[in-house]
Amino acid sequence: MKTHWHDVLGVVLIGGGLILFATGCPTPPADEEAPASTTGSDDGAAATATQSESEMPAEPVAESATPAVESEAAPPAEPAPAEQQKPGPAAEAQPAAEPAAQPEMTPPAAEAPAGNAQSAAEASPAESSAAQTPPAGTPYELKIPLGLPPLEIPADNPMTVEKIELGKMLFFDKRVSKDGTLSCATCHDPQMAWAEHTPTSKGIHDQIGDRNAPTVINAAYAAAQFWDGRAATLEDQALGPVANPIEMGNTMEGMMQNLDAVPQYRELFQKVFGTGVTPESFAKAVAAFERTVLSGDSPYDRFKAGQEDALTDAQKRGLELFENSGCADCHTPPLFSSYDYYNAGVGMDKEKPDQGRKAVTGEDYDMGAFRVPSLREVANTGPYFHDGSVAGLEEAVALMAAGGKDNPHRSVEFDTVREAKLTPEQQKDIVEFLKALSGTYPMTEPPQLP
């Protein structure tokens, strides 16, 4: 059996009411070369993004620096210079802009699953129009940063400039929530590395969730979404927080009514999808936008590409320790996650510990197990673990170096790193190496809303 080390960070998206079953998938090899660029097309053919060694995905249309406007009478967004790609470490130092959206929260046990995008769309009044072939749109060329593998684009959701721009508006629009107080960006703030620097997030009516909001960065690569993997795709995940009573507190019908009341949204959905507002088209637009939020071109990536001075001596020592003490078994390069599920003992001493993956599978061996998050941008996305209970990176590394916390369900994969007996100085070197996984990612400003 291959030994593993659990993580120090949450990576996935927004919490919600969806309960879907999914398992991890193999991580692409670090030296895999990207195929030639393929852009989204309306015929539904599968697309694969292009490898680029220095570029981050450009925004589909020019950004506006104007704060989000929540009025129907507001004019469409005016063109402005394209958004900048900024280095990850700078994200924490910048003040948060628009409070940004969905916290990952465990849905109440009695709450029925929200259902996936397809079933929600079938139940909507727009069922007949949903079957229409959407307009072609302008193909969007996604630039893959240095160090990341090719990204598969779903055949039924090709990326277009118009769809991504619509998804960006929806991501920042608080009218998606029942009372107009929360957007996706409330808990996934671009100024906070697309996460939120609080242990857990606040939902509608100031309700506090019990899970840390994971970053959107590189979520497109995850085999499943949420800490417990209950959503199979970004599209499935996008609908969960909308209907979760302790997150956005809305219904699919309520969300559609809110958006359909805005004439420009009706026009945009018709232009992009050839339909009115539906849960399925909402989910596809948001997911397409989130696939542009990638981070690579880090000092680690440049070092692996041959730039010897990209890492400091301490970071080079940390890299060697990371690779040889069991850390990389679970946090596998180049994504720095295997996307498997393990119990590190975090939160297991509570009176009613979070069941984690067991709530999805019903299996006892999944009790308290959570998905391994990616370590890319980990220095900028604290606090750490599924409950946000560890504030600093140094403390998180120390907890993992100890092999997690003992409990009846602790995963044996943590034995390898425990047996490595990493010294405090070695742990410091690993922390320095983890800082070298901060690269560049989009610093998207809130768009002007219709």
Side-chain angles (χ1 to χ4, degrees):
M1 176 183 295
K2 203 171 186 180
T3 53
H4 296 265
W5 181 46
H6 199 265
D7 177 36
V8 294
L9 166 69
V11 71
V12 178
L13 283 181
I14 319 161
L18 277 171
I19 305 294
L20 295 178
F21 296 80
T23 57
C25 67
T27 305
D31 58 353
E32 182 176 351
E33 294 185 359
S37 171
T38 306
T39 54
S41 62
D42 60 316
D43 61 2
T48 303
T50 307
Q51 180 86 15
S52 169
E53 296 200 348
S54 61
E55 293 183 80
M56 284 298 296
E59 279 299 306
V61 298
E63 290 280 78
S64 170
T66 307
V69 178
E70 303 281 341
S71 168
E72 280 190 34
E78 297 181 1
E83 70 186 26
Q84 298 180 352
Q85 301 293 335
K86 297 186 180 180
E92 282 194 344
Q94 298 184 12
E98 168 82 3
Q102 300 94 282
E104 162 136 4
M105 303 176 181
T106 308
E111 185 70 18
N116 59 30
Q118 180 63 38
S119 61
E122 290 173 353
S124 73
E127 178 182 0
S128 59
S129 61
Q132 299 177 8
T133 301
T138 306
Y140 180 84
E141 184 177 356
L142 182 63
K143 301 294 185 181
I144 302 297
L146 175 67
L148 296 185
L151 178 62
E152 290 189 10
I153 307 301
D156 64 347
N157 193 19
M159 298 179 74
T160 67
V161 171
E162 295 83 1
K163 185 187 297 180
I164 291 168
E165 181 63 15
L166 173 58
K168 179 167 63 175
M169 292 180 183
L170 297 172
F171 188 89
F172 283 91
D173 200 328
K174 295 180 179 180
R175 287 170 290 188
V176 172
S177 64
K178 183 176 182 178
D179 63 357
T181 61
L182 299 169
S183 73
C184 302
T186 301
C187 301
H188 301 279
D189 188 345
Q191 302 297 326
M192 298 184 188
W194 296 83
E196 187 177 32
H197 299 324
T198 58
T200 58
S201 298
K202 185 181 295 185
I204 192 172
H205 305 314
D206 293 332
Q207 298 178 91
I208 303 298
D210 51 10
R211 290 184 183 172
N212 179 259
T215 179
V216 175
I217 292 172
N218 293 349
Y221 288 103
Q225 304 296 326
F226 296 113
W227 280 101
D228 54 17
R230 65 184 181 272
T233 66
L234 283 177
E235 285 79 2
D236 291 333
Q237 181 278 327
L239 292 174
V242 175
N244 192 320
I246 60 173
E247 293 192 54
M248 291 185 167
N250 212 338
T251 63
M252 293 300 108
E253 293 75 14
M255 177 195 69
M256 288 189 293
Q257 289 175 2
N258 290 351
L259 298 179
D260 194 61
V262 183
Q264 188 176 344
Y265 271 140
R266 293 200 301 270
E267 295 173 5
L268 289 172
F269 274 88
Q270 188 66 41
K271 176 181 179 181
V272 173
F273 295 103
T275 71
V277 180
T278 69
E280 180 182 18
S281 56
F282 169 87
K284 285 185 173 182
V286 171
F289 168 65
E290 290 177 336
R291 289 190 174 97
T292 69
V293 184
L294 304 178
S295 174
D297 194 21
S298 67
Y300 164 80
D301 297 311
R302 295 193 291 273
F303 177 78
K304 296 296 285 186
Q307 184 181 336
E308 186 66 24
D309 62 353
L311 297 182
T312 66
D313 289 342
Q315 289 171 337
K316 291 175 183 177
R317 293 194 301 269
L319 170 58
E320 184 176 0
L321 290 166
F322 185 89
E323 292 176 335
N324 296 326
S325 63
C327 308
D329 291 344
C330 203
H331 296 284
T332 313
L335 298 176
F336 288 87
S337 177
S338 64
Y339 296 113
D340 290 327
Y341 303 86
Y342 299 110
N343 178 320
V346 176
M348 291 299 292
D349 55 351
K350 296 179 180 178
E351 183 178 353
K352 293 183 178 180
D354 192 330
Q355 292 188 4
R357 182 69 173 164
K358 181 182 178 180
V360 177
T361 67
E363 300 290 347
D364 287 340
Y365 59 75
D366 280 328
M367 178 63 188
F370 293 91
R371 195 190 67 178
V372 178
S374 170
L375 297 183
R376 285 187 177 270
E377 298 298 339
V378 68
N380 302 310
T381 52
Y384 303 106
F385 298 104
H386 71 274
D387 57 359
S389 59
V390 175
L393 191 55
E394 293 79 5
E395 182 184 353
V397 169
L399 191 155
M400 289 290 91
K405 296 182 178 181
D406 288 327
N407 72 94
H409 301 276
R410 188 184 74 93
S411 299
V412 297
E413 285 78 6
F414 295 114
D415 289 346
T416 300
V417 67
R418 175 176 286 183
E419 292 166 1
K421 300 184 185 302
L422 295 169
T423 67
E425 288 302 316
Q426 289 175 322
Q427 293 175 33
K428 288 181 181 179
D429 286 342
I430 290 177
V431 170
E432 290 304 309
F433 164 67
L434 294 178
K435 293 176 182 178
L437 298 180
S438 296
T440 56
Y441 55 81
M443 297 290 287
T444 305
E445 294 293 331
Q448 184 169 334
L449 301 178

